[in-house]
Every structure is written in structure tokens, then in C-alpha cells.
Amino acid sequence: MKVSEEMNETEITQFLFTGFSHRPTTRMGLAASMTIVYLVTMLGNGLILLVVITDSRLHNPMYFFLCNLSIIDICLSTSSIPQPIVNCLVDRPALSFGRCYTQMYISIYLGSTECFLLAVMAYDQYIAISSPLRYTIIMNWRVCISMAVGSWIVAFFLVVVPGLANPFRFCGHNKIDHFACEVTAVMKLICSDKSVTQRNMYFTSTFTVLFPFSFILFSYLRIIVTILRIHSAGGRLKAFSTCLSHLAVVVAFYGISIATYIKPQSKDSHDSDKAMYVINAGVVPMVNPLIYTLKNQDVKGALKRLMEKKL
């Protein structure tokens, strides 16, 4: 930390992490668990990318968006997990203000991008079920690429640009009761006007979380109406199975996010908050490829063909 002569106050230049600092056994167990989660995430999402890229039968909009989701999950896990593992392995973990701030906003940006991408994938599912004969015309490659790139760009302007324009100001206390630069834990150290910060975050959350989630709900309501109009039970089951994997991913992603952030924030972090961070940043990106592998016959078939080629 350094002292500003003009403001006569201590200005933070680094953060100290105190999560589980007096519980070395817990720290070692957590580091081992996060390492396993991270490796499985890299393997699972990397395998999805390999299967989709190498199998021409999967070269369609649905799996193009799935590749984007895997890329986001790889980046999100990489930005959120390795540093906490290091923090758990050292006695006095510390991180510079710039690195912590950057890491935090990269994670928020990637999470927001995933919100938009899941909404785009819900629209893709709706078109596939409601207009199967016109699907390839409506969801042509130009539209798909525009929607995917748009998800990344919109999230950047809604999350990163405001964060750069109005950075948090920290002073005095520099100990984070966590093992990572998690946004709710970091915000407790802000010494600037918190009402302005909270108002900006509510505004950003509305556009990056609430709107995409509302669009997903609307899309699935339309999907349900379309499925109910199908006369045969077999046709209804086939149509529902088409969007089952995406629906499972949406439930996992938003369920964990809501459990983590949509609740009253206490002054001190609890062990449950730290566990939810691991689940949100590590476990959810890990289970996404598992869901698509276990629930999707096309992916399982492509994976089987890939394994046969290797053998």
C-alpha cells in the first residue's frame, strides 16, 4: 500500500486473501479439488471443440454455438481457477490491485457473454422446432456468426467499458475474506460512493442477465406451445429431446448464478460463498460438455467415430 499526500489516506496497491488462512488442511483439499475440476473442464470442453471441428456432420448452427460456449467455459475457468489454486498453496497469498481488478472483470465479462450466448442458443432451438423446413435459410452462417460475435461485443460494451470508465476506488483495508478476486468480496472494500457503484451494477445486470434470461423463458414458452401442437407423442418427444441439453445447461448456469448472487450480501464472507464461487467458476463450465455428451446422440456418435479413427 502507499500513502497519498494530497488525500492523506492509504491507497491500496495490492490485496491480501484471508479465506481459510488458518485452515491449511482445508486449503490443500480445496486446491486439489479445484485442480481436478480445472483439468476436467479443459479436457471436456477441448474434446467438444475437437469433435465438432473434425466431424462434418456437426457443422451446423447448433454445434457452432456449442463451440462458442466451450470456448467461453475454457476462458472463464482459466481466468477464475488457477490463481485461487495458487492462493491456497501459499501462506500469505497476495495479488496486485491491477491483476485482481483485471481478473475480476474478465470473469464478469465472460459470464455475461455466456448469458447472451445461451439466449442466442435458445432462439436457435426455437427456430429448429417451429420452422424446421426453413431452419437453414433463417439460421444461415452469416446470421449465426453475427449473433455469436454480437454476444461477445455487446457484453464487452456493457461490462468492460463501464468498468474502465468508472473504476472502483479502494483505500484503507486491503484484506479480502476469500481466496479469489470475487466481485461481492472485493466490493466490500470499496471506499468510494457505493450507491453509485451498486446502481451501475444493477443497470449492467439488468441488460446482461435479466434480459437474456427473460428472452430464454419467452423462447421456451414458444417452444412448449409449438411442441404441444404436434399431434404424435413420438414427434413431441423428439422435439423436446432436441432442446433438452440446452435447457439443462441453462438451468445449471442460472440456478447456480442466482443462488450465488441473488441474495442479501453480508458484511463478511461465509464458507458457503466460497464454495459457490468454485461451483460457479469451475463446476458449471465442467458439467456443460458432460451434459451435451450424455444427452446428445449426435455428439456421442461423433465421439465414438473419433475414437474409432484413433484406434
Side-chain angles (χ1 to χ4, degrees):
M1 295 186 293
K2 65 180 181 180
V3 177
S4 171
E5 297 180 357
E6 296 181 359
M7 301 180 65
N8 194 29
E9 63 181 10
T10 304
E11 184 178 331
I12 290 178
T13 58
Q14 72 171 1
F15 293 107
L16 302 177
F17 299 92
T18 61
F20 305 131
S21 58
H22 302 296
R23 293 153 64 181
T25 303
T26 302
R27 283 165 36 209
M28 294 302 103
L30 184 60
S33 299
M34 287 192 293
T35 300
I36 294 172
V37 167
Y38 180 70
L39 293 176
V40 174
T41 300
M42 295 298 104
L43 177 63
N45 285 285
L47 194 58
I48 288 288
L49 290 172
L50 178 63
V51 168
V52 173
I53 292 172
T54 57
D55 197 313
S56 59
R57 302 181 192 185
L58 300 183
H59 292 178
N60 59 52
M62 175 181 176
Y63 297 106
F64 168 73
F65 293 130
L66 178 57
C67 282
N68 274 266
L69 181 63
S70 291
I71 292 171
I72 291 175
D73 286 338
I74 288 173
C75 295
L76 179 60
S77 188
T78 300
S79 68
S80 305
I81 297 299
Q83 185 62 52
I85 293 175
V86 174
N87 291 343
C88 288
L89 295 176
V90 298
D91 292 329
R92 290 180 56 83
L95 197 64
S96 68
F97 166 78
R99 287 185 61 188
C100 184
Y101 197 77
T102 301
Q103 183 184 96
M104 181 179 68
Y105 262 94
I106 288 176
S107 298
I108 297 173
Y109 165 60
L110 292 169
S112 299
T113 304
E114 185 159 344
C115 288
F116 287 113
L117 186 64
L118 289 174
V120 168
M121 294 174 75
Y123 176 75
D124 175 66
Q125 297 290 337
Y126 167 68
I127 297 299
I129 292 174
S130 64
S131 304
L133 299 179
R134 301 178 59 238
Y135 175 73
T136 55
I137 298 175
I138 298 174
M139 298 299 295
N140 59 67
W141 282 112
R142 181 178 179 182
V143 170
C144 293
I145 293 174
S146 297
M147 295 174 76
V149 173
S151 298
W152 291 84
I153 293 176
V154 171
F156 179 84
F157 280 101
L158 288 175
V159 174
V160 179
V161 173
L164 294 175
N166 299 290
F168 298 154
R169 189 167 66 86
F170 303 91
C171 53
H173 185 46
N174 72 328
K175 294 182 179 180
I176 300 177
D177 186 16
H178 211 289
F179 51 79
C181 293
E182 196 271 333
V183 60
T184 56
V186 172
M187 280 191 62
K188 294 168 185 175
L189 306 183
I190 296 175
C191 63
S192 54
D193 189 353
K194 291 188 178 181
S195 63
V196 175
T197 302
Q198 290 175 343
R199 186 167 60 249
N200 291 338
M201 291 194 68
Y202 285 139
F203 174 81
T204 301
S205 299
T206 298
F207 284 97
T208 60
V209 180
L210 183 59
F211 280 4
F213 184 61
S214 299
F215 182 82
I216 291 172
L217 290 179
F218 177 74
S219 297
Y220 272 99
L221 286 175
R222 297 291 300 273
I223 288 173
I224 291 172
V225 171
T226 302
I227 291 176
L228 292 177
R229 289 176 179 173
I230 299 175
H231 298 294
S232 66
R236 288 195 296 270
L237 181 61
K238 183 179 179 180
F240 180 73
S241 64
T242 301
C243 56
L244 188 60
S245 297
H246 176 262
L247 183 60
V249 169
V250 169
V251 171
F253 178 80
Y254 278 100
I256 297 299
S257 297
I258 290 172
T260 303
Y261 298 109
I262 309 301
K263 64 177 182 178
Q265 298 296 329
S266 60
K267 183 177 180 181
D268 298 317
S269 298
H270 300 288
D271 288 356
S272 60
D273 298 328
K274 298 161 190 172
M276 292 304 293
Y277 173 86
V278 176
I279 295 173
N280 197 37
V283 176
V284 172
M286 179 185 70
V287 300
N288 284 349
L290 296 178
I291 291 173
Y292 272 96
T293 301
L294 295 175
K295 295 292 184 180
N296 191 293
Q297 295 298 326
D298 292 338
V299 174
K300 287 196 289 187
L303 183 59
K304 183 179 179 180
R305 290 190 293 271
L306 179 63
M307 294 301 294
E308 290 174 349
K309 288 181 180 179
K310 296 296 182 182
L311 296 176

